[in-house]
Amino acid sequence: EAGVAQSPRYKIIEKRQSVAFWCNPISGHATLYWYQQILGQGPKLLIQFQNNGVVDDSQLPKDRFSAERLKGVDSTLKIQPAKLEDSAVYLCASSLLGRNTEAFFGQGTRLTVV
Amino acid sequence: AQSVTQLDSQVPVFEEAPVELRCNYSSSVSVYLFWYVQYPNQGLQLLLKYLSGSTLVKGINGFEAEFNKSQTSFHLRKPSVHISDTAEYFCAVFSNQAGTALIFGKGTTLSVSS
């Protein structure tokens, strides 16, 4: 079974530039998450989708971050404009419906803002 | 609101020694509990999970954890560690409350030396 795919693996941009990350979840997984993991910290939820609807985006900095999940499958996360403090690993995860199901994580995209 | 506290940020141990990584959670409703492991430059991998039933949960790589509702804890243990267990370990909680997502602790770095 293919896992959660993310691209790119690494990205370096200058502050005030824009960047986009892509995630392809496991086939059949209705729930998709984007997490931000700053060095030395645990993953912090940015946004949770169920199919193509947003369940929770309370911690998404909406002035600069946006995310969409077209047709309830792939998802993109965009940052515009980027700040130095956005340097982190961005993790995508997916799971079946239900809180007792395991979330499967992709390898993440390491973003460095200089 | 739910939260997770991992009491130790770093745990150094010698090979073949036992180890315990501590995790406490806070939630006003019933919860599901997870431990994930993250090896360098990789995504998160599920070690084990507690959903219901027996409070002692066995996972992969010889790890186990015990759910203690009265102490709101879910400590991770291994009787004898290997060098290959060196990694970051995250405790996570999923509450039974509608709209909530998987919330992570800040992580514990386990360093195993010979």
Side-chain angles (χ1 to χ4, degrees):
Chain A
E1 177 183 88
V4 177
Q6 290 188 246
S7 67
R9 286 293 315 276
Y10 305 92
K11 189 75 177 177
I12 301 175
I13 62 172
E14 295 182 350
K15 59 184 179 183
R16 292 188 289 273
Q17 284 188 322
S18 62
V19 65
F21 313 128
W22 172 82
C23 173
N24 179 237
I26 293 173
S27 178
H29 281 193
T31 303
L32 185 146
Y33 309 88
W34 282 103
Y35 285 86
Q36 179 193 57
Q37 187 178 16
I38 293 173
L39 187 65
Q41 298 183 21
K44 182 185 92 170
L45 179 72
L46 290 176
I47 189 166
Q48 177 188 356
F49 291 96
Q50 196 158 292
N51 296 308
N52 59 353
V54 175
V55 174
D56 183 356
D57 64 355
S58 57
Q59 296 196 77
L60 187 73
K62 298 181 186 64
D63 58 334
R64 298 184 300 107
F65 286 66
S66 64
E68 60 180 4
R69 189 179 185 195
L70 299 176
K71 300 180 182 178
V73 183
D74 291 6
S75 177
T76 56
L77 176 70
K78 296 178 182 177
I79 308 175
Q80 181 179 11
K83 292 185 176 182
L84 295 177
E85 58 261 37
D86 297 332
S87 294
V89 175
Y90 291 84
L91 295 165
C92 179
S94 71
S95 69
L96 296 168
L97 276 176
R99 293 175 188 80
N100 60 349
T101 60
E102 175 184 350
F104 292 84
F105 284 80
Q107 289 192 298
T109 296
R110 182 177 297 277
L111 173 68
T112 303
V113 183
V114 297
Chain B
Q2 60 197 35
S3 65
V4 178
T5 301
Q6 290 185 244
L7 298 162
D8 308 293
S9 59
Q10 297 192 34
V11 175
V13 294
F14 288 108
E15 195 173 20
E16 297 182 10
V19 71
E20 178 181 80
L21 306 184
R22 296 180 294 167
C23 172
N24 285 91
Y25 69 92
S26 170
S27 177
S28 59
V29 297
S30 58
V31 296
Y32 304 118
L33 294 157
F34 303 79
W35 274 99
Y36 281 84
V37 61
Q38 187 176 36
Y39 298 103
N41 297 315
Q42 294 190 26
L44 284 84
Q45 178 185 2
L46 183 68
L47 271 179
L48 47 79
K49 60 184 177 183
Y50 170 78
L51 305 179
S52 64
S54 172
T55 57
L56 183 62
V57 179
K58 294 190 183 297
I60 62 171
N61 301 341
F63 284 94
E64 62 181 32
E66 186 157 18
F67 171 60
N68 187 320
K69 187 175 182 180
S70 62
Q71 296 186 5
T72 61
S73 67
F74 190 54
H75 301 333
L76 181 71
R77 302 186 183 101
K78 187 170 182 177
S80 175
V81 295
H82 302 288
I83 299 283
S84 59
D85 292 323
T86 295
E88 191 82 11
Y89 292 80
F90 294 96
C91 182
V93 61
F94 219 163
S95 86
N96 207 14
Q97 202 166 17
T100 57
L102 193 60
I103 302 300
F104 286 85
K106 292 187 175 182
T108 297
T109 302
L110 176 63
S111 301
V112 183
S113 56
S114 56

